Amino acid sequence: MVNWTDPVVLFDDYLALIKLDHALAGIYIWETVFTAGFELDVLRRKRPYRWTIWLYLGTRYTALLGFILFLIETDASGSKFPCQPLEIMTFASAYISWAFASLIIVLRVIAIWNRNVSVSFLATGVWLVGVSLNIYSLTTMEPSYNAFTGNCVILHLHKSLINAAGILVVDVVLLVSMLIGLLQYAHRSSTGIWHLLYQQCIIWLVLAGIAEVPLVVFLILDLNDPWNDMFTGPIIAIMSIGAARMYRSLCQYGSLTDFVSLEPSQIPPGASSSNPQHRVTTHGPIHFASVTQSTGMGPTSDALVSMSTDQESGYVHEEAKTKD
């Protein structure tokens, strides 16, 4: 039987942890660099600005900061750098990244449930519980310089079991709420935006399970400190990359379609699916319409209204494009 507290075993486990997190840091940096064109397009106004881009950027770049800080603290072996603040900043970056990613889910839940007051309070309250658990975890963290491994480690990490289990419950509640809301329109989930949202919800549930369940299990087992920390890096990478990719996918869906969420009173008079200039479809409480108008003054102005992630928060954005 393996003695998980044996110094040789501990050294090997810490080495495996460092190698894994270095690999994850490389993957995450590569992902950030090669997908940075999306935010650059927004900056250069090649894509429409939507306020939810700040949640997307927060998720991506706080996670990136966390990995950079990890590389600094692990590769500065042999020097007694300020271990405690650096380690707390690393975990704080990871927790903030999770908060941004989960807030995107909260906005989707609120929008899918058509701003139902009870669901909105539930989703927001559950998210705040998760944020509170992360703050509590930071205040009780015990970073220490380990001369044996030559880097900074967290002692007694098994005490974060309540935090890890709580975050798992928060994510599951939010995703299940989103799934139940989508299933209300199951007869429409095979097409359009509902199909995309349904797919993303299932994917996110799977990612949450893959990333967070192993961490909770190993914290319960409490083999040793390296194994207690082994799945923290994968959680940051998987959830952040997953959230960012799904955000971009929904935005790209919006840029490829000329549909927008409209209230019935906003649908142009005479608009119908039989009119080639006005197309209207209805999906539950959300109505999608495309409007093409002629100015009669030479150029034709197309009010191309694109579906975007701002629909997650119930807002409507219009892009007016003029073509000669």
Side-chain angles (χ1 to χ4, degrees):
M1 185 176 179
V2 177
N3 181 6
W4 296 101
T5 58
D6 182 87
V8 176
V9 174
L10 281 172
F11 183 82
D12 290 340
D13 290 344
Y14 272 119
L15 184 61
L17 172 63
I18 292 172
K19 288 182 177 179
L20 173 63
D21 285 346
H22 271 78
L24 291 171
I27 292 171
Y28 193 85
I29 292 172
W30 180 89
E31 167 76 12
T32 304
V33 170
F34 282 91
T35 57
F38 180 85
E39 47 262 47
L40 291 177
D41 284 347
V42 175
L43 183 64
R44 293 179 294 189
R45 299 185 178 180
K46 291 185 178 181
R47 290 183 180 274
Y49 168 80
R50 303 180 177 101
W51 74 267
T52 49
I53 188 70
W54 294 106
L55 303 182
Y56 166 82
L57 294 175
T59 298
R60 275 165 64 84
Y61 290 102
T62 52
L64 178 63
L65 175 62
F67 277 115
I68 291 174
L69 290 174
F70 162 77
L71 293 176
I72 292 173
E73 70 180 48
T74 55
D75 294 341
S77 59
S79 59
K80 294 187 178 181
F81 51 85
C83 176
Q84 185 170 3
L86 190 60
E87 189 73 8
I88 289 177
M89 287 174 60
T90 302
F91 273 81
S93 299
Y95 290 159
I96 294 172
S97 178
W98 171 88
F100 280 123
S102 296
L103 189 54
I104 292 175
I105 294 294
V106 171
L107 295 179
R108 290 193 183 191
V109 170
I110 293 173
I112 289 168
W113 281 89
N114 201 25
R115 302 183 189 177
N116 180 281
V117 176
S118 299
V119 174
S120 298
F121 272 108
L122 172 65
T124 305
V126 166
W127 179 78
L128 289 174
V129 168
V131 172
S132 301
L133 286 171
N134 283 336
I135 294 174
Y136 174 76
S137 177
L138 286 175
T139 61
T140 58
M141 197 169 286
E142 302 178 45
S144 175
Y145 181 80
N146 190 326
F148 182 63
T149 60
N151 66 342
C152 200
V153 298
I154 302 294
L155 301 177
H156 312 300
L157 197 57
H158 64 277
K159 294 181 180 179
S160 64
L161 173 60
I162 295 176
N163 177 61
I167 294 301
L168 175 60
V169 171
V170 168
D171 283 339
V172 170
V173 169
L174 290 176
L175 292 169
V176 169
S177 299
M178 181 178 171
L179 183 60
I180 292 173
L182 289 169
L183 289 176
Q184 294 181 80
Y185 310 105
H187 59 292
R188 302 186 187 277
S189 63
S190 60
T191 59
I193 190 69
W194 294 106
H195 180 60
L196 178 62
L197 290 172
Y198 181 80
Q199 281 186 324
Q200 290 192 353
C201 182
I202 297 299
I203 292 172
W204 218 318
L205 268 172
V206 173
L207 290 179
I210 293 174
E212 297 176 13
V213 170
L215 175 62
V216 173
V217 170
F218 276 89
L219 285 174
I220 293 173
L221 294 175
D222 190 23
L223 301 177
N224 54 35
D225 284 338
W227 274 105
N228 288 341
D229 194 24
M230 193 69 71
F231 294 94
T232 303
I235 287 178
I236 302 171
I238 291 173
M239 299 306 290
S240 181
I241 291 175
R245 283 180 174 264
M246 283 184 270
Y247 179 93
R248 290 195 300 270
S249 175
L250 193 58
C251 282
Q252 288 163 359
Y253 178 92
S255 67
L256 294 175
T257 182
D258 51 355
F259 291 105
V260 66
S261 171
L262 294 176
E263 296 296 330
S265 60
Q266 295 175 286
I267 298 176
S272 68
S273 58
S274 60
N275 188 334
Q277 289 186 321
H278 305 87
R279 290 179 292 166
V280 178
T281 57
T282 303
H283 296 289
I286 300 179
H287 303 267
F288 303 97
S290 168
V291 184
T292 304
Q293 300 173 332
S294 296
T295 63
M297 299 177 62
T300 301
S301 296
D302 292 340
L304 299 180
V305 200
S306 65
M307 181 77 169
S308 75
T309 50
D310 278 352
Q311 185 190 3
E312 296 165 11
S313 56
Y315 290 97
V316 176
H317 289 265
E318 297 187 353
E319 298 173 48
K321 296 183 180 180
T322 304
K323 56 185 181 181
D324 296 330

